[in-house]
Each structure stands twice: as structure tokens, then as C-alpha cells.
Amino acid sequence: MKLIHLALMLPWIAYSFSAIADPAPLQPQTQGDVTFVSGGIGGDERDALQAVRADYNLSLLFSMQGTGEYFSDVAVRISDAKNQTMLNTVADGPMLFAKLKPGKYRISAEHEGQEIRKTVTVDNKHRSPLSFTWPGD
């Protein structure tokens, strides 16, 4: 009887551990009026981001020139036309999507002490994609 009980419990225990081991799905975050999500490490995260891409009007991609190597841990700051910081975060992967109010923004992305700045105009009808590419070694 104990053997049958153990045989029935084993699959349940294995399932419980696999559920704990699975990474949490990407969760949107909010800072002030800005909703954003970042990630893209591994196929599952990339697929999850692509599935929500249309929900965001700004998409950022971080990579190295020449090799195309992608970067995570990029410090991102988005400021509005009045130079007020709207978002200040560190990207969890090479992609960051943000939902901003229509307007003109300055975006600063810093990786390993090298900062790149860009400006972008965002509206609610189109997605504004920006690539930040750092020079290779």
C-alpha cells in the first residue's frame, strides 16, 4: 500500500518542483505614468515580449556593433520635453518596451560606463523602435 501511495505522490512532487523552477512570466511594471516591460534573454522571454509588443508604443533594443551581441543590465532613463524623468530603470534583457503618452522624449541608455542618447517622438498610432548599439572592442 505504501508503494502505491508513493507511486501516486511522486508525479505530483515532480510537477510541483518543475512549476517552482520555471521562471516567472514577464510582468509589466509601472513608474509614474509609464508602463514598461523588459527582458528577452532566451527564446521563451523573446516570444513573450513579441506577444505583447503591440501594447507598447516605444521599443528599445541594446546590442554591440559588428557582433550583434545583445546586452542586458542597461541603465535606461527616459525624460520628457520638460526634462522630467519619466522612467529610470535597468533593463532585464536586450529589449525594453514602454507605453508613453504622445510627445517628444530623450532617452539615455548606459552600458559599462558608455552612454548613448537619442530623441524620439512617440504617438499612440505607431510603435517607435530605437536601437542602441555600442562600439565593439
Side-chain angles (χ1 to χ4, degrees):
M1 185 69 168
K2 287 183 182 181
L3 189 57
I4 293 173
H5 184 62
L6 182 61
L8 293 173
M9 291 296 293
L10 211 49
W12 181 82
I13 292 169
Y15 173 77
S16 297
F17 281 116
S18 69
I20 292 170
D22 287 343
L26 298 173
Q27 294 294 319
Q29 300 176 52
T30 302
Q31 273 186 29
D33 292 335
V34 179
T35 300
F36 69 99
V37 64
S38 67
I41 297 175
D44 291 341
E45 279 192 16
R46 279 192 304 273
D47 292 345
L49 280 169
Q50 293 305 325
V52 299
R53 185 178 199 147
D55 297 337
Y56 298 88
N57 56 3
L58 176 68
S59 64
L60 308 178
L61 180 66
F62 313 112
S63 65
M64 180 185 291
Q65 183 178 5
T67 66
E69 176 186 348
Y70 292 115
F71 294 131
S72 60
D73 300 323
V74 174
V76 177
R77 186 176 62 250
I78 300 176
S79 302
D80 66 9
K82 297 177 184 177
N83 207 28
Q84 292 184 334
T85 300
M86 305 303 293
L87 177 65
N88 192 7
T89 191
V90 175
D92 293 331
M95 293 184 268
L96 184 144
F97 299 160
K99 191 180 304 182
L100 301 168
K101 292 181 179 179
K104 188 172 183 175
Y105 295 91
R106 278 179 243 133
I107 302 171
S108 165
E110 183 179 331
H111 178 70
E112 294 184 352
Q114 294 183 353
E115 183 180 30
I116 299 173
R117 296 179 186 179
K118 295 188 177 198
T119 59
V120 65
T121 300
V122 173
D123 63 40
N124 284 331
K125 296 179 183 174
H126 305 94
R127 188 172 35 82
S128 298
L130 286 179
S131 291
F132 290 82
T133 307
W134 283 264
D137 295 330

